[in-house]
Amino acid sequence: MAGFRLQSMDQRSSSYIENIQKNIRYLSLAGMRWDEKVIRQSKAVGISEATEDSMYSMYYNQQSHAGTDIGQHEFIAFFDKEYPTRRDFLRRFAMNGEIEHVIETIADETIIFDDNNYFAYPNTKNLKAVLKPEKAKDIVNDLNECFKKVYFAFNFNNSHDGWHYLKKFLIDGFLAFEIIYDGEGEEAAKNVLGFKELDPVSLEPEMRKDEADNEYRVWIQYKGDSERQRELLDGNLIYISWARGNFISRLSYVERLVRSFNMLRTLENSRIIWNVINSQYRMKIIVPIGTQSEVKARTRLAELRGMYKEDITIDYQSGEISINGTPNFSFAKTYIFPSKDGTQTEIDSFAPQGYDLKDTEALQYFWKRFIIETKVPNSRFSIGGQEGGGGGGESSWTSGGDGIAREEMRFSYFINRIRSIFQEILMKPTWLQFCLKHPEFAKDKILKGSIGLLFTEENLFTIAKEREIASKGAETVNNLMGVMQPTIGPDGMPLEEHYFDPKFLVEKYMQYTDIDLKLNEKYKKERRDQITRIRYAYQKMGLGSAGGSEMGGGGFGASSAGDMGGGTSPFGPNDLGAGGGTETPEAPAPEAGGEIEAPPPTQ
């Protein structure tokens, strides 16, 4: 590790840290060689290379700006020198009740805890479709075990910290954690012990090279501070950002709400001030000054101006209104004016002149503009049975797809985009924990790409829409399967056959992916093999075929009939190309106790 030094938080020697993290650096190298090869083979000038002085030229520092144009990299808070000030403003801004309501609505939709206090589980659905059956079970079990270790290390199982971290991410736009491993002396790291939250502003990425000229990334914390400077391997850090380094974007979600909310707040304040001003009864007093000098008259007027001055302020945090420094204001005002020509005091009343702002219809427009900016459906702001707090009928919560508004679908897509970023705080350490147990898979990109995170879902609108698509698709497939075309049979006799293939219709109208269909084929093959084994066992015992009563009723019998060619549904496995024979109505079905010679296991 020439030229590479690490300092521990308890001031242990750098060699100690190097020894226990030797395999962590290997994991940090995994996956970097591909980007390096792409950069070296590139011949064009990337957008970041052409604008090297731009703050959007993220890591690789002065070594290789081309790295920012390969893929989508996180935005680095360190390079935006104004970000600390903006973050302080955003945190204060998020304390407004309306903003807090929006953030919590999004957090409630994104992080949903089940009865076991889990808000997500490893998604191994795609993994099962690409692994060999003899290895799939062990790998899936190990991944689930690694995920639980990480989840427990975050203490998510005993708290709602995941929900709070998401709120913080929506406000700040950045989250960073140190991954802490075990290991003592010469012993390599074997497990993730815990996590420590770090300030994203303090972290700056740099690219290094080892003795074999392999590039790897390190993160320098508090660079230039002799007492606090640290260096962390990429395998020791989780870093997520709302913005992307090579795209135009807000730094955080809350930042998009500033303009529309401030306009709404300004109009609200104008109505408040108008009502306060117009609630007072005003008296006008004209005082003659006679032959007093101009200096004395001005002095007297200044005294009167200070006495009757109206200074109105509104506290944005508490909503309190103060006039001349006091929260209590009088409902009557007296104004005194000097007059040289008068001989007696005149007392009269007057009304202030200005725009009539008692109408609040204009607020509805800007309130709707604010709701649009939040991306939260209007129905989520329902107050007293009225959508958006200003009319429009009751919010409709139905279980059928017909009651789903398009904005609810867009909102579910928005939530999924947030989850795709936030899941990194669990997915990265889970993968590293898995690689510590199985180093041979560290560079297996296919395996890594087949692992996802399945969030606990309670979005009734999304679930209802998916079910409606499946139901309508099944109805369409059934109808199209009734379309027949004439043909000639093997014996030369005319007959009719289905015009459409069921597999084609299922893919087109039920919107199942190739992975879904492959997984379905895998499950069907397992079921056919199970039926075959049971039939062999029954024949070996001299009991004949597995009857419906012997196998536990018609549930199993119906499945076996469909698999072995006895079914008539267009959705049967035979129509989907899963194997089996054709319909033979004259032969007794297995459920009826007929003898069927057991076929060999499917390949």
Side-chain angles (χ1 to χ4, degrees):
M1 284 193 178
F4 181 70
R5 292 292 182 267
L6 291 174
Q7 289 180 303
S8 66
M9 296 302 291
D10 54 2
Q11 301 302 319
R12 294 181 180 178
S13 64
S14 59
S15 61
Y16 172 82
I17 301 297
E18 291 174 3
N19 287 330
I20 69 171
Q21 294 191 335
K22 189 175 296 183
N23 58 338
I24 304 302
R25 198 185 76 166
Y26 168 76
L27 293 179
S28 299
L29 282 168
M32 294 298 297
R33 293 288 298 176
W34 173 251
D35 286 347
E36 179 187 358
K37 189 181 297 183
V38 172
I39 293 171
R40 289 180 178 179
Q41 291 296 109
S42 174
K43 298 178 178 60
V45 178
I47 186 172
S48 298
E49 294 174 282
T51 57
E52 293 186 3
D53 58 340
S54 171
M55 74 173 183
Y56 294 97
S57 298
M58 294 299 111
Y59 59 81
Y60 290 87
N61 207 2
Q62 299 300 322
Q63 301 178 29
S64 176
H65 286 275
T68 62
D69 300 319
I70 305 296
Q72 290 77 43
H73 298 291
E74 61 275 296
F75 191 97
I76 307 300
F78 177 86
F79 294 102
D80 190 348
K81 301 305 179 183
E82 298 179 355
Y83 173 71
T85 303
R86 295 165 67 182
R87 181 175 62 180
D88 292 340
F89 164 75
L90 291 174
R91 289 178 176 178
R92 293 193 303 269
F93 176 76
M95 296 301 292
N96 287 290
E98 296 89 340
I99 305 300
E100 194 170 15
H101 170 74
V102 171
I103 295 173
E104 291 184 354
T105 299
I106 295 176
D108 289 340
E109 288 288 339
T110 308
I111 304 297
I112 302 172
F113 293 93
D114 61 13
D115 294 338
N116 297 320
N117 215 48
Y118 279 86
F119 64 83
Y121 293 90
N123 186 0
T124 57
K125 177 181 178 181
N126 296 343
L127 190 62
K128 293 178 181 179
V130 300
L131 290 175
K132 295 181 179 180
E134 60 271 16
K135 293 184 178 181
K137 184 177 180 180
D138 293 337
I139 292 179
V140 169
N141 289 339
D142 287 344
L143 280 170
N144 288 327
E145 180 183 354
C146 294
F147 175 80
K148 288 183 179 180
K149 286 184 178 180
V150 170
Y151 200 84
F152 293 163
F154 262 116
N155 200 35
F156 287 161
N157 59 311
N158 295 323
S159 65
H160 290 166
D161 288 353
W163 185 82
H164 289 287
Y165 278 132
L166 180 64
K167 284 185 59 180
K168 189 173 185 179
F169 177 63
L170 294 174
I171 298 170
D172 293 357
F174 298 90
L175 281 179
F177 300 91
E178 179 192 3
I179 306 175
I180 303 173
Y181 300 90
D182 61 1
E184 292 291 342
E186 298 292 332
E187 184 181 355
K190 296 181 180 179
N191 294 290
V192 173
L193 292 181
F195 302 89
K196 178 189 290 184
E197 187 177 4
L198 307 178
D199 186 356
V201 178
S202 67
L203 297 165
E204 177 185 2
E206 285 190 5
M207 298 305 298
R208 300 286 176 83
K209 289 187 178 182
D210 62 5
E211 298 85 348
D213 203 35
N214 293 321
E215 281 192 338
Y216 60 94
R217 183 165 67 169
V218 299
W219 295 81
I220 304 177
Q221 188 180 28
Y222 296 109
K223 185 176 182 179
D225 191 327
S226 58
E227 295 183 358
R228 297 193 297 172
Q229 180 170 326
R230 304 286 189 274
E231 291 188 7
L232 300 171
L233 291 166
D234 191 61
N236 286 100
L237 194 75
I238 304 171
Y239 193 102
I240 62 174
S241 65
W242 179 269
R244 309 309 294 170
N246 48 353
F247 291 120
I248 299 174
S249 173
R250 303 280 190 180
L251 290 187
S252 75
Y253 166 78
V254 169
E255 197 172 27
R256 66 181 288 123
L257 306 180
V258 174
R259 175 183 175 273
S260 58
F261 180 78
N262 283 341
M263 294 181 67
L264 177 63
R265 175 58 60 83
T266 299
L267 289 179
E268 288 179 345
N269 290 343
S270 67
R271 266 64 182 173
I272 295 173
I273 294 174
W274 185 89
N275 281 279
V276 171
I277 293 295
N278 285 271
S279 65
Q280 296 176 334
Y281 181 80
R282 288 170 174 78
M283 295 294 297
K284 178 177 67 175
I285 302 176
I286 300 177
V287 179
I289 58 174
T291 59
Q292 290 183 357
S293 64
E294 182 179 352
V295 175
K296 290 184 178 181
R298 287 182 177 274
T299 302
R300 181 57 177 164
L301 290 177
E303 293 176 355
L304 294 174
R305 186 180 300 112
M307 184 181 304
Y308 298 108
K309 178 182 178 182
E310 293 183 359
D311 185 13
I312 302 177
T313 59
I314 301 177
D315 191 327
Y316 292 153
Q317 299 297 326
S318 63
E320 294 179 338
I321 303 174
S322 61
I323 299 179
N324 299 329
T326 176
N328 299 320
F329 61 93
S330 60
F331 287 90
K333 279 290 184 181
T334 303
Y335 297 89
I336 303 177
F337 301 94
S339 174
K340 288 186 176 181
D341 301 331
T343 58
Q344 63 179 7
T345 301
E346 298 179 9
I347 300 177
D348 193 6
S349 64
F350 70 96
Q353 300 297 320
Y355 295 104
D356 186 356
L357 299 180
K358 63 184 178 182
D359 186 11
T360 59
E361 286 298 323
L363 294 179
Q364 296 299 321
Y365 169 79
F366 287 96
W367 175 246
K368 291 177 181 178
R369 293 295 306 172
F370 171 72
I371 292 177
I372 292 174
E373 293 288 346
T374 65
K375 291 186 176 294
V376 177
N378 185 57
S379 59
R380 307 301 175 92
F381 294 90
S382 60
I383 300 174
Q386 294 184 335
E387 295 185 6
E394 296 184 355
S395 176
S396 175
W397 289 79
T398 61
S399 58
D402 295 337
I404 302 174
R406 185 173 296 273
E407 63 175 354
E408 287 289 347
M409 295 300 298
R410 288 199 298 264
F411 184 55
S412 68
Y413 301 150
F414 176 61
I415 295 299
N416 287 335
R417 291 197 297 271
I418 295 176
R419 288 173 171 174
S420 67
I421 302 174
F422 190 73
Q423 70 174 356
E424 182 71 5
I425 69 171
L426 287 174
M427 289 305 302
K428 182 174 182 177
T430 297
W431 174 252
L432 292 174
Q433 177 67 61
F434 177 76
C435 291
L436 290 177
K437 188 172 183 178
H438 299 282
E440 66 275 13
F441 294 122
K443 295 184 178 181
D444 193 334
K445 291 188 175 181
I446 296 178
L447 180 63
K448 183 179 180 181
S450 301
I451 303 171
L453 204 62
L454 187 63
F455 283 82
T456 304
E457 187 69 63
E458 284 187 0
N459 192 324
L460 301 180
F461 298 97
T462 303
I463 296 174
K465 193 65 177 179
E466 291 175 352
R467 291 174 178 174
E468 183 189 26
I469 291 174
S471 177
K472 296 292 185 182
E475 183 180 343
T476 302
V477 173
N478 271 324
N479 292 335
L480 293 177
M481 282 301 298
V483 179
M484 310 297 289
Q485 66 175 359
T487 185
I488 303 297
D491 55 357
M493 299 297 293
L495 54 83
E496 289 187 341
E497 67 175 3
H498 295 293
Y499 186 84
F500 294 104
D501 182 78
K503 186 175 181 180
F504 164 76
L505 295 177
V506 168
E507 290 180 351
K508 182 174 180 64
Y509 294 104
M510 299 188 71
Q511 298 185 2
Y512 290 121
T513 64
D514 290 339
I515 294 177
D516 294 330
L517 295 177
K518 287 180 180 179
L519 189 59
N520 182 58
E521 292 292 336
K522 180 178 179 181
Y523 288 147
K524 292 198 304 183
K525 179 181 179 300
E526 292 176 356
R527 186 177 55 171
R528 289 196 303 270
D529 290 345
Q530 182 183 17
I531 294 173
T532 301
R533 288 192 298 269
I534 293 175
R535 285 179 172 171
Y536 269 128
Y538 267 79
Q539 288 184 350
K540 199 170 183 180
M541 291 185 295
L543 299 178
S545 298
S549 59
E550 294 172 299
M551 298 309 299
F556 177 81
S559 299
S560 62
D563 273 312
M564 302 312 297
T568 58
S569 170
F571 297 103
N574 297 326
D575 292 326
L576 292 176
T582 58
E583 294 186 31
T584 54
E586 61 276 359
E591 297 86 340
E595 294 288 342
I596 293 183
E597 183 180 354
T602 57
Q603 299 297 322

